[in-house]
């Protein structure tokens, strides 16, 4: 039965729906501003964060938002890497590809709690990376929420 119906992507994915909800902060990104934002996020204490990448496949991984390091690469330009101490988790962000960052606070689809997301948009206007505070049914570390709110307030007008 499934083989007889063509697959369509008519139903938006969870991360895409959240991106369409009210946006608290919008920031036009430059390499310098991105670097400052990533350094501030690393120092802020965001704690457990769900990193989500949507392409032809979807990858989600939960890790502490830890230190960020930078490396200039010939093919991708300045690359930011957020990694766990043991390097079992690494998130590489080509800063030249990021055109906009949005901090979005929205209501969860299933449940009565807020979702705190930081979304990185590419040249095509699509989300290339979502970083969402991680907690069970809205049970976030209060320090992480305060850190996220502080970042959203700091980068309120532009980066």
């Amino acid at each position: 039965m499934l083989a007889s119906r063509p697959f369509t992507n008519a139903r938006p994915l969870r991360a895409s729906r959240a991106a369409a909800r009210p946006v608290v902060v919008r920031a036009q990104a430059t390499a310098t501003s991105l670097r400052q934002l990533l350094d501030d996020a690393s120092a802020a204490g965001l704690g457990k964060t769900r990193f989500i990448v949507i392409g032809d496949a979807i990858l989600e991984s939960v890790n502490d938002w830890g230190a960020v390091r930078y490396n200039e690469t010939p093919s991708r330009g300045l690359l930011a890497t957020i990694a766990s101490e043991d390097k079992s988790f690494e998130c590489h962000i080509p800063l030249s590809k990021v055109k906009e960052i949005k901090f979005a606070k929205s209501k969860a689809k299933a449940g009565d709690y807020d979702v705190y997301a930081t979304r990185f948009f590419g040249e095509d206007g699509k989300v290339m990376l979502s970083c969402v505070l991680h907690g069970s049914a809205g049970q976030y570390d209060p320090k992480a929420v305060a850190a996220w709110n502080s970042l959203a307030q700091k980068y309120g007008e532009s980066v």
Side-chain angles (χ1 to χ4, degrees), residues 79-144:
L79 197 64
T81 300
I82 302 168
S84 61
E85 287 183 26
D86 67 359
K87 300 199 182 197
S88 62
F89 169 84
E90 291 186 340
C91 175
H92 305 288
I93 306 167
L95 299 187
S96 64
K97 301 287 185 186
V98 178
K99 297 304 173 201
E100 186 176 27
I101 301 165
K102 294 181 185 180
F103 288 81
K105 178 180 173 186
S106 59
K107 288 291 180 191
K109 181 181 175 201
D112 188 27
Y113 60 90
D114 291 326
V115 174
Y116 301 87
T118 306
R119 303 200 193 287
F120 295 77
F121 290 82
E123 297 167 332
D124 59 1
K126 293 181 181 177
V127 176
M128 57 187 283
L129 172 67
S130 293
C131 302
V132 181
L133 292 186
H134 182 70
S136 178
Q139 298 299 309
Y140 304 110
D141 179 347
K143 292 178 184 176

